[in-house]
Amino acid sequence: DIQMTQSPSTLSASVGDRVTITCRASQSISSWLAWYQQKPGRAPKLLIYKASTLASGVPSRFSGSGSGTVFTLTITSLQPDDFATYYCQQYNSYSRTFGQGTKVEVK
Amino acid sequence: EVQLVESGGGLVQPGRSLRLSCAASEFTVSSNYMSWVRQAPGKGLEWVSLIYAAGTTYYADSVRGRFTISRDTSKNTLYLQMNSLRAEDTAVYYCAGEWVGGYFDFWGQGTLVTVSS
């Protein structure tokens, strides 16, 4: 099975900061990677698919990049609504594996 | 607007069974890939099971042989039959729909399953 590893696990940041989260796959997954945002008590929300394609309605301050085994999610100017936990998910195979999550908290 | 609404969660004793349902609107369960994803308290997301539009099913190693995913076309509803439940199956269970395939465009609100004596 493909394993997904995110770093860091927790990130402390301030409004306006540029934030980058990294996701690594245990083997190449081409560009078959999605990113989600989850807030406490809520279902996850799709942000990005196919590594870099923004989902409908997602603000342009979010961007994704990478291919193969290393991927990044970047928030160019962190907004108050962006404090949440972020997950990557691979879909190279039928097994949809998630990373362990990165919590973006207030510094 | 697509809606996925889970039901059937609750408190169940170890070794017992439970069936979760996910009723869909504005999204055809039988024409799309559908999954169950769970989240243990304070933990991350774990994919549990997937059913393809063609009916092929897949399971995570942690539930294979105990859980069964299925759907009812006439009711536009997805199910997860959970047998031989364990304490480690305690989680919020989400159903999730894939519009194109691979990633989850739509999520339900989740239903909590607690396995405890």
Side-chain angles (χ1 to χ4, degrees), chain A residues 1 34 36 38 41-46 48-50 87 89-91 93-101, chain B residues 33 35 37 39 43-47 50 52 58-59 61 64 94 98 101-105 107-110:
Chain A
D1 287 359
Y36 301 86
Q38 187 181 34
R42 303 291 297 275
K45 171 189 172 185
L46 177 68
I48 287 168
Y49 60 93
K50 208 174 179 183
Y87 295 92
Q89 175 240 324
Q90 68 82 19
Y91 50 102
S93 69
Y94 69 83
S95 176
R96 278 92 163 104
T97 319
F98 290 92
Q100 82 278 16
Chain B
Y33 295 3
S35 280
V37 176
Q39 187 169 36
K43 302 299 183 182
L45 301 170
E46 179 188 16
W47 170 79
L50 163 68
Y52 280 172
Y58 298 96
Y59 300 92
D61 290 344
R64 188 177 293 114
Y94 295 100
E98 303 178 15
Y103 52 89
F104 305 113
D105 302 83
W107 295 74
Q109 84 287 353

Side-chain angles (χ1 to χ4, degrees), chain A:
Chain A
D1 287 359
I2 300 172
Q3 308 300 318
M4 307 300 293
T5 304
Q6 286 181 235
S7 60
S9 295
T10 306
L11 191 159
S12 299
S14 302
V15 172
D17 284 355
R18 179 186 179 92
V19 166
T20 299
I21 298 168
T22 301
C23 179
R24 288 182 168 83
S26 59
Q27 64 188 70
S28 177
I29 57 171
S30 185
S31 296
W32 305 121
L33 185 99
W35 290 96
Y36 301 86
Q37 177 193 67
Q38 187 181 34
K39 296 181 179 179
R42 303 291 297 275
K45 171 189 172 185
L46 177 68
L47 295 176
I48 287 168
Y49 60 93
K50 208 174 179 183
S52 60
T53 303
L54 219 56
S56 177
V58 175
S60 59
R61 63 180 179 273
F62 291 92
S63 64
S65 65
S67 66
T69 62
V70 183
F71 303 85
T72 59
L73 172 70
T74 299
I75 310 171
T76 52
S77 178
L78 196 67
Q79 298 301 301
D81 192 48
D82 301 337
F83 291 99
T85 300
Y86 294 84
Y87 295 92
C88 62
Q89 175 240 324
Q90 68 82 19
Y91 50 102
N92 184 68
S93 69
Y94 69 83
S95 176
R96 278 92 163 104
T97 319
F98 290 92
Q100 82 278 16
T102 295
K103 183 178 181 180
V104 177
E105 63 178 22
V106 177
K107 186 173 183 180

Side-chain angles (χ1 to χ4, degrees), chain B residues 13-115:
Chain B
Q13 293 179 328
R16 304 297 291 266
S17 299
L18 204 62
R19 188 179 81 158
L20 306 182
S21 300
C22 171
S25 57
E26 302 301 320
F27 191 80
T28 304
V29 166
S30 60
S31 299
N32 295 283
Y33 295 3
M34 298 292 297
S35 280
W36 288 96
V37 176
R38 69 184 180 183
Q39 187 169 36
K43 302 299 183 182
L45 301 170
E46 179 188 16
W47 170 79
V48 172
S49 182
L50 163 68
I51 184 166
Y52 280 172
T56 309
T57 59
Y58 298 96
Y59 300 92
D61 290 344
S62 58
V63 307
R64 188 177 293 114
R66 300 187 299 123
F67 289 12
T68 303
I69 191 171
S70 64
R71 64 195 181 197
D72 185 325
T73 301
S74 65
K75 295 182 179 179
N76 202 28
T77 298
L78 179 74
Y79 300 101
L80 185 67
Q81 177 67 42
M82 304 185 294
N83 299 332
S84 303
L85 282 162
R86 306 167 180 168
E88 54 265 37
D89 295 320
T90 294
V92 173
Y93 285 74
Y94 295 100
C95 70
E98 303 178 15
W99 193 257
V100 172
Y103 52 89
F104 305 113
D105 302 83
F106 309 107
W107 295 74
Q109 84 287 353
T111 187
L112 176 62
V113 173
T114 303
V115 184

